[in-house]
Amino acid sequence: MKKGKKIIGTSVLKLLLIAAGVWLFSLPAVAQDIDYKTQSLFIYKFTKYITWPQALSRNDFVIGVYGNSPISEELQVMASLKKAGEGQRIVIKRINSVDEIENLHILYVASSKSRELRSILDKIGKKPTLVVAERDGLAKKGASINFLIMENNTLKFEVNRSELQSRGLSISDELLKVGFIVG
Amino acid sequence: MRIQLSRIIICILFCLTGTCPYLKAQIEKPETDTLSLSDFYDMTLQQLDSVKASGVSSELEKFINSLISVATQKSLSTRNTPGIITLITEEEIKTSGARDLIDVLRQVPGFDFALDGEGRVGIGIRGNWANEGKVLLLIDGQEMNEIYTANLFFGNHYPVEFIKRIEIIRGPGSAIYGGFAEFGVINIITKGVEDLNGISVSAVYGQMQKTYGRHNLYLYGGKKWKNAALSLSLFNGGGQRSDRDHYGFYNDEWADSLGAGAYASLAGNSELNPSYSNLLFTWKKLSFRSVGDFYDVTDITLIDNNKKRRSQYGINNTYHELKYDFKVSEKLKITPKLNFILQFPVRNNVPDSITRYDQKNFISRSKANITASYDASHRTNFIGGVEYFNDFARASSNGVFRVGDKNVSYHNIAAFGQGIFNLPFVNITAGIRYDWNSSFGSAFVPRLGLTKRLPGNKWHFKLLLSDVFRAPSIGNVVNSFNGNYTIVNPGRPDRYILPEKGIKPERTFVAEAEVGYQINSRMILTANVFDMTIRNPIVYYFYQDDAIRDAFYENAGINVFSNFKRTGTRGYELDYRFKTKWGSVSANYSFYSLESKPRIAAYSVSTFNRNPEKRAEVNNNQVLGLANHKLNVNATYFITQNFSANVTATFYGKRYGYDVLFTGPGKFDVDGQLIRRSPVGLANLYFHYQNLFTKGLDVGIGAYNLFNSKYDFLQPNFALNTPVPGPSREIIVKAGYSFEFRKKKKKV
């Protein structure tokens, strides 16, 4: 009887290991992905509650995306549905290198390009481009805005207001209430 | 029959773990948006303020991102909390059909149960015996440890049916909670009016092979008004530790004529009787809570001439708390609270030879605490406070000779502070606690925790360092021993040993590291390593030497608490969780080793001999009573939305303890021997149906210890308390009904 019990115990363990193996290798390895649609909602609000210099409000509203990120698709959807500011057409532009950063209203810096922030800022200089960083903490390092995820999983953003003002951009108090000022 | 049952279980497990994801995937429907995409962009800023970063979370993500506060008093997600955490939800308890807290905590990595004195069952953590005041049990913030010895009692005791969730730190929490939280914290949060503004009643019946296992009744009522709320939980019942045979010793009255002891059944002879109440009244931010915990157990170690156990030990404890949550501003919250705990021991039919060790009539703790929490920014939080408590014990007339005075009183003042810095590259939690004790002087307890969730939320890391200080309890002091003793009345029949008191606080340093990987939206793997070093450990043990043997007899000695030099364990724990709408599977494995740590004779696996110098160590890698290896599995499958099947199982590696050895045919030819218990598994199966026929009616049926494994609780220190059998297969039936009060219709 003891032997029988041992066999049963071994069988259970083996089956559990097999089942765990089936799972590990057969299911797609997608963790809790960031919802870029939520980020696109915020970016849309940025176009409404941040004011660019008058000279830039007559042309198309150009949002550049630097780095390979799913945000591009979300922003394309947004551009097809909505207008920026007082009715400007939104254009999404894929940026492949720092040299291509030019005449943008917003530059979205994907997490993978965070290390290039210094050279991005050098390239932009004092031009009125809102630099939105995906990675937490970059507003303190010179980006205009960065996203961050709170403990309760809500999406928020940090604003470097002085950096933003130095580019001739102004942000409304209403929008500031939703975010956190860090500079 | 057993083999057939086991095949069924194996099939269910396989179904749960292997094939069902694909079957069920077809049943799950994608969530449909009722708004057009364009409408989302027209959200107001206020609406946007509460939008989640990751859209709709999976069931697993909701679970692992649950906010808990046990490790910091500030709500943080389990993955960011600076502690090695286990979270147990109401749903898990309901679907598993757990009978009591032993069933629930057995599923926690590194937690295990063993035999305390007099047949009581206590808890060990990571290979360290923790029941003597080294693990803190909180129920709704009330410290449930018995103050005198700081012990806990397990077995049909705390009411699992009322539990909303349990937040467990599998490591120290002393920087916040003080000394009892040395090895771990079990923080139980029960259901209240926010969960049910109404009434519920439930009953549990368990039937073991030879007798009932338990018959418990639970009542709850909660009513909410505009500014006030009142809730009351009541629990009463009875249970049996086991129905198997156990070797008990004849009490003094019968020993001379009948011998050392005999085997006798525990069926109907090993009672576990709880009564519990929990009252909460809140008015705006003011709250008053009163908890009553009355529990007694049969002392199964002593038998009479009919092989009956007549002695009962227990506690009559009450806990009262008055608290005010004062929100000074959006950023600052101040919480003053007053606590009063009163505890009386229960001693029924205890033989005279034992009552002389009954040392107290009652003990109380009066405590005042004020804690402030300040959110300096969205990344920084500070918590600080001061706490004072006074422990007061009144000795019984029998106990005065050991206490030395009728009243014993300690004062303790503590100041504590903690900062949480949520930096972009790492989250830092730094805490300190300073204690001044009227008997043991001052102590400084630092703590540092670093946590980090990498972008994408797949990986998280934790590094935790904690120093712990635990002042001895009054019971430790009263029974302390500094190595010197006097034999009072030498040469006379009424001679006895009077040990000299003297004991120092115990300190523990724990280093822990955890890494977690979320494989996909339904699975997460977590692994952690730990290293615990205990300095001046306070150990309960049996002391004897040549002089005592000469003055009395070969086996004479005293049971005392003393400081030993150093010990500890190191090890690792692995935890795997799969969770989705149609079910869940979790499996965890825990391992400890003390090979590289100094060992203590009282805990070491050695041959049985009352003379410590004659004991030979048999295993240098594990302690008495607690297995090195433990594996848990918990699988739930929702056959329909309301009907679930659950399998829980625990597999133990080999364990060591002591048992009787019959040395000859004579009735006193009994000695002790080291025994080795082979690896054993405990498996349970439970079906739960909620909202059967009508909303609020829940029923469940299942079998615990399905294969009737012979599992025993073994003593984790040197003594001859023979192994206490666990329950045999127990069929469990639960039924409960709850309803909410109707809301008043507003007059138009």
Side-chain angles (χ1 to χ4, degrees):
Chain A
M1 199 60 204
K2 264 190 173 177
K3 200 179 172 188
K5 261 192 177 178
K6 201 174 175 183
I7 290 166
I8 294 163
T10 317
S11 308
V12 172
L13 278 175
K14 277 182 183 171
L15 285 170
L16 281 173
L17 287 172
I18 291 165
V22 167
W23 258 336
L24 284 171
F25 294 104
S26 64
L27 293 178
V30 181
Q32 184 183 13
D33 284 333
I34 293 162
D35 190 342
Y36 286 94
K37 189 180 297 306
T38 313
Q39 287 194 9
S40 75
L41 297 181
F42 275 91
I43 290 172
Y44 175 66
K45 293 299 178 196
F46 297 159
T47 73
K48 296 288 183 189
Y49 288 90
I50 292 173
T51 311
W52 274 258
Q54 196 69 31
L56 288 177
S57 61
R58 287 186 288 273
N59 309 325
D60 287 345
F61 193 97
V62 186
I63 301 175
V65 177
Y66 185 36
N68 194 11
S69 168
I71 192 79
S72 298
E73 287 77 54
E74 296 298 340
L75 293 176
Q76 288 290 2
V77 173
M78 181 184 87
S80 68
L81 294 167
K82 292 293 180 186
K83 303 277 187 199
E86 298 300 317
Q88 291 164 278
R89 191 168 73 98
I90 299 173
V91 174
I92 310 300
K93 189 176 168 189
R94 180 80 180 266
I95 308 290
N96 296 309
S97 73
V98 174
D99 293 336
E100 293 176 23
I101 300 171
E102 210 160 342
N103 299 326
L104 301 173
H105 288 77
I106 295 176
L107 173 68
Y108 180 92
V109 182
S111 195
S112 58
K113 297 294 182 186
S114 300
R115 286 183 183 170
E116 295 178 42
L117 181 66
R118 184 45 44 202
S119 51
I120 291 168
L121 293 173
D122 289 345
K123 169 72 179 168
I124 293 173
K126 287 294 168 192
K127 287 176 195 158
T129 299
L130 183 81
V131 179
V132 177
E134 181 182 1
R135 181 164 290 184
D136 183 2
L138 290 193
K140 271 206 161 178
K141 293 182 178 174
S144 316
I145 284 176
N146 68 254
F147 287 112
L148 81 158
I149 300 167
M150 303 302 288
E151 207 56 46
N152 62 0
N153 201 33
T154 53
L155 185 70
K156 300 281 180 184
F157 61 89
E158 290 179 319
V159 183
N160 187 335
R161 189 162 55 174
S162 56
E163 198 278 342
L164 199 135
Q165 284 168 345
S166 73
R167 296 178 182 283
L169 307 173
S170 64
I171 182 166
S172 79
D173 289 344
E174 273 176 290
L175 185 61
L176 276 177
K177 279 181 191 168
V178 185
F180 303 106
I181 301 168
V182 294
Chain B
M1 184 60 190
R2 280 183 189 171
I3 291 172
Q4 281 180 340
L5 274 172
S6 63
R7 280 183 180 163
I8 292 167
I9 298 299
I10 291 167
C11 289
I12 290 169
L13 268 173
F14 189 68
C15 181
L16 284 168
T17 54
T19 56
C20 288
Y22 304 102
L23 297 175
K24 274 287 179 180
Q26 296 169 24
I27 300 168
E28 285 178 22
K29 289 178 184 171
E31 302 207 1
T32 352
D33 293 334
T34 51
L35 292 169
S36 79
L37 204 48
S38 180
D39 291 331
F40 279 111
Y41 290 100
D42 293 331
M43 267 185 187
T44 64
L45 285 173
Q46 285 72 27
Q47 288 169 323
L48 204 57
D49 199 22
S50 54
V51 165
K52 299 286 180 187
S54 50
V56 179
S57 300
S58 68
E59 294 299 310
L60 176 83
E61 286 155 358
K62 283 180 204 162
F63 179 81
I64 61 175
N65 292 322
S66 302
L67 295 181
I68 60 170
S69 56
V70 64
T72 52
Q73 295 190 323
K74 167 85 177 164
S75 292
L76 297 174
S77 72
T78 53
R79 298 182 80 186
N80 270 348
T81 291
I84 307 298
I85 296 293
T86 293
L87 175 66
I88 297 165
T89 62
E90 176 189 357
E91 183 189 86
E92 286 173 309
I93 295 170
K94 259 188 182 177
T95 54
S96 71
R99 297 166 295 181
D100 61 12
L101 213 49
I102 292 180
D103 288 339
V104 177
L105 296 180
R106 190 172 256 156
Q107 286 283 313
V108 176
F111 278 40
D112 199 0
F113 290 89
L115 171 61
D116 206 344
E118 297 147 0
R120 297 188 307 257
V121 168
I123 192 165
I125 297 178
R126 292 171 165 175
N128 299 282
W129 184 234
N131 212 51
E132 291 161 354
K134 301 170 191 186
V135 56
L136 175 67
L137 176 68
L138 296 163
I139 295 184
D140 295 325
Q142 311 309 304
E143 296 184 356
M144 304 303 286
N145 297 59
E146 199 216 10
I147 297 166
Y148 190 74
T149 55
N151 275 0
L152 290 168
F153 301 77
F154 292 93
N156 200 41
H157 186 180
Y158 307 102
V160 288
E161 303 294 314
F162 295 141
I163 294 174
K164 182 176 172 182
R165 68 176 190 279
I166 310 178
E167 302 173 352
I168 294 167
I169 309 177
R170 286 148 40 205
S174 297
I176 296 174
Y177 298 103
F180 289 174
E182 187 176 1
F183 297 165
V185 181
I186 303 160
N187 184 30
I188 293 176
I189 295 117
T190 68
K191 289 179 265 189
V193 282
E194 67 280 7
D195 308 294
L196 180 62
N197 184 33
I199 289 174
S200 78
V201 55
S202 58
V204 177
Y205 183 80
Q207 179 67 41
M208 291 191 277
Q209 305 289 288
K210 296 176 186 166
T211 185
Y212 71 93
R214 67 208 68 237
H215 48 76
N216 297 335
L217 184 66
Y218 303 82
L219 289 168
Y220 165 86
K223 175 75 178 156
K224 198 159 53 177
W225 295 274
K226 190 181 174 189
N227 290 321
L230 178 70
S231 66
L232 176 64
S233 308
L234 297 170
F235 162 49
N236 193 280
Q240 295 283 321
R241 177 76 71 197
S242 181
D243 57 348
R244 291 165 48 206
D245 287 352
H246 170 257
Y247 186 88
F249 293 95
Y250 286 112
N251 62 41
D252 283 358
E253 192 182 344
W254 301 102
D256 288 343
S257 54
L258 296 175
Y263 281 97
S265 173
L266 292 179
N269 216 355
S270 55
E271 292 191 346
L272 308 167
N273 299 327
S275 287
Y276 165 94
S277 63
N278 188 338
L279 173 100
L280 175 66
F281 174 73
T282 59
W283 183 71
K284 294 185 177 175
K285 299 290 180 188
L286 183 72
S287 67
F288 173 74
R289 186 183 291 279
S290 180
V291 175
D293 177 27
F294 309 98
Y295 177 73
D296 57 71
V297 299
T298 303
D299 175 6
I300 61 171
T301 56
L302 294 175
I303 54 175
D304 65 10
N305 59 329
N306 294 317
K307 296 184 180 176
K308 294 288 179 197
R309 280 105 173 151
R310 301 203 180 278
S311 307
Q312 284 184 319
Y313 290 81
I315 46 172
N316 286 342
N317 296 348
T318 58
Y319 308 80
H320 314 278
E321 180 181 271
L322 187 66
K323 189 169 85 169
Y324 186 74
D325 285 318
F326 180 43
K327 198 172 177 182
V328 182
S329 69
E330 280 300 312
K331 292 186 167 186
L332 179 64
K333 196 174 90 169
I334 298 174
T335 308
K337 63 180 179 182
L338 296 170
N339 292 76
F340 181 68
I341 303 171
L342 191 58
Q343 301 183 337
F344 294 88
V346 173
R347 299 281 185 269
N348 294 330
N349 301 319
V350 176
D352 290 343
S353 58
I354 304 292
T355 50
R356 66 194 177 94
Y357 296 109
D358 180 14
Q359 294 148 358
K360 62 187 185 299
N361 278 334
F362 73 86
I363 185 164
S364 67
R365 172 170 287 187
S366 308
K367 189 163 78 172
N369 177 307
I370 183 161
T371 303
S373 174
Y374 179 65
D375 290 319
S377 75
H378 62 290
R379 290 188 181 275
T380 313
N381 169 269
F382 294 103
I383 289 176
V386 288
E387 182 177 276
Y388 164 82
F389 70 77
N390 167 250
D391 284 354
F392 175 81
R394 171 155 292 175
S396 68
S397 54
N398 289 321
V400 170
F401 81 99
R402 298 197 72 175
V403 177
D405 193 355
K406 195 162 180 62
N407 301 329
V408 183
S409 177
Y410 291 167
H411 305 275
N412 197 94
I413 299 169
F416 51 91
Q418 171 186 274
I420 301 174
F421 308 95
N422 182 5
L423 306 178
F425 53 94
V426 70
N427 298 332
I428 301 172
T429 303
I432 49 166
R433 183 180 169 107
Y434 175 82
D435 276 272
W436 174 84
N437 186 289
S438 58
S439 293
F440 303 106
S442 60
F444 179 75
V445 176
R447 169 213 192 186
L448 179 68
L450 306 177
T451 68
K452 176 65 183 170
R453 258 198 302 195
L454 293 188
N457 283 333
K458 281 187 182 178
W459 292 93
H460 78 256
F461 300 93
K462 296 181 181 183
L463 178 65
L464 313 162
L465 304 170
S466 311
D467 201 4
V468 178
F469 165 88
R470 187 177 91 79
S473 69
I474 291 180
N476 292 154
V477 175
V478 168
N479 294 296
S480 65
F481 176 51
N482 67 4
N484 302 315
Y485 61 87
T486 312
I487 297 175
V488 181
N489 305 329
R492 282 170 39 183
D494 60 344
R495 64 189 181 277
Y496 63 90
I497 305 163
L498 187 63
E500 255 181 47
K501 291 203 287 284
I503 199 160
K504 289 182 286 188
E506 166 176 312
R507 289 201 80 119
T508 297
F509 179 78
V510 182
E512 299 164 288
E514 178 180 281
V515 55
Y517 178 66
Q518 191 182 336
I519 300 160
N520 59 31
S521 62
R522 293 181 288 190
M523 279 185 242
I524 187 166
L525 260 175
T526 312
N528 70 278
V529 292
F530 62 86
D531 185 294
M532 303 172 68
T533 303
I534 308 159
R535 288 163 284 164
N536 300 325
I538 298 168
V539 178
Y540 186 65
Y541 72 112
F542 179 81
Y543 178 83
Q544 70 157 208
D545 58 20
D546 288 341
I548 292 175
R549 279 190 290 273
D550 290 345
F552 293 84
Y553 51 94
E554 180 65 19
N555 292 333
I558 43 175
N559 286 308
V560 286
F561 286 101
S562 291
N563 292 107
F564 284 69
K565 277 187 182 171
R566 194 177 279 239
T567 188
T569 56
R570 59 176 55 161
Y572 58 88
E573 292 149 356
L574 307 170
D575 191 35
Y576 167 81
R577 278 179 189 271
F578 172 92
K579 196 168 173 62
T580 186
K581 283 181 180 171
W582 54 262
S584 62
V585 177
S586 65
N588 62 63
Y589 167 76
S590 47
F591 170 77
Y592 79 84
S593 161
L594 45 68
E595 203 163 12
S596 57
K597 299 280 184 183
R599 294 179 291 280
I600 292 173
Y603 294 154
S604 74
V605 178
S606 306
T607 53
F608 185 90
N609 197 306
R610 287 182 177 83
N611 183 349
E613 288 158 14
K614 291 184 179 173
R615 285 180 216 153
E617 193 171 63
V618 172
N619 183 318
N620 62 4
N621 197 28
Q622 73 182 97
V623 290
L624 290 164
L626 304 170
N628 277 128
H629 305 271
K630 192 172 76 125
L631 174 70
N632 287 308
V633 178
N634 184 343
T636 304
Y637 176 53
F638 284 96
I639 298 158
T640 70
Q641 198 178 356
N642 289 329
F643 182 36
S644 62
N646 172 275
V647 174
T648 48
T650 301
F651 303 93
Y652 289 101
K654 65 179 185 297
R655 295 173 304 141
Y656 293 91
Y658 293 113
D659 201 353
V660 287
L661 171 70
F662 301 105
T663 53
K667 58 188 180 184
F668 290 105
D669 292 340
V670 175
D671 200 3
Q673 62 172 327
L674 180 71
I675 54 163
R676 177 186 181 276
R677 286 281 189 262
S678 300
V680 63
L682 295 170
N684 318 301
L685 174 66
Y686 190 74
F687 296 93
H688 177 247
Y689 204 117
Q690 63 180 10
N691 300 327
L692 179 66
F693 305 128
T694 181
K695 192 183 172 197
L697 180 61
D698 291 3
V699 295
I701 186 165
Y704 264 71
N705 191 5
L706 191 62
F707 303 123
N708 214 10
S709 299
K710 296 214 172 349
Y711 171 86
D712 294 334
F713 297 101
L714 306 177
Q715 184 140 26
N717 50 14
F718 180 84
L720 190 49
N721 279 313
T722 55
V724 168
S728 62
R729 183 190 299 130
E730 184 174 348
I731 305 298
I732 289 286
V733 180
K734 293 188 180 187
Y737 179 66
S738 62
F739 67 90
E740 292 219 34
F741 295 128
R742 281 185 192 166
K743 286 178 186 168
K744 280 184 180 174
K745 284 181 184 172
K746 285 181 183 174
K747 289 177 182 175
V748 181

